[in-house]
Amino acid sequence: MALSYKARRRVALLVLVVGVPVYIALCWKLTSLFERPSILVELAIYVGMGLLWAIPLKSVFMGIGQPDPDE
């Protein structure tokens, strides 16, 4: 079932306001459990985690900045 434009906007806002900060806190906690790796490995981990949240939510954010297609 596809979400309507308004529903996708609401879900996108919820993800950005609540989901991303929670995800950042979880990633921060996860990386703090291990010893600090070299700077390049740490950079690769954070870049990977930064992309990991966006891939499943790509369909929610597509077209959000465009005018409502139903109007």
Side-chain angles (χ1 to χ4, degrees), residues 3 5 8-17 19-20 53-66:
L3 292 174
Y5 178 76
R8 281 191 301 128
R9 285 188 62 164
R10 289 183 182 128
V11 169
L13 182 63
L14 182 69
V15 166
L16 289 175
V17 171
V20 171
W53 74 270
I55 293 170
L57 297 172
K58 185 171 114 176
S59 62
V60 172
F61 289 107
M62 285 183 63
I64 293 299
Q66 305 296 323

Side-chain angles (χ1 to χ4, degrees), residues 30-54:
L30 179 68
T31 56
S32 71
L33 296 175
F34 304 105
E35 284 186 35
R36 187 165 184 180
S38 71
I39 191 71
L40 292 177
V41 173
E42 190 173 2
L43 178 65
I45 290 169
Y46 283 119
V47 168
M49 287 180 179
L51 293 174
L52 188 64
W53 74 270

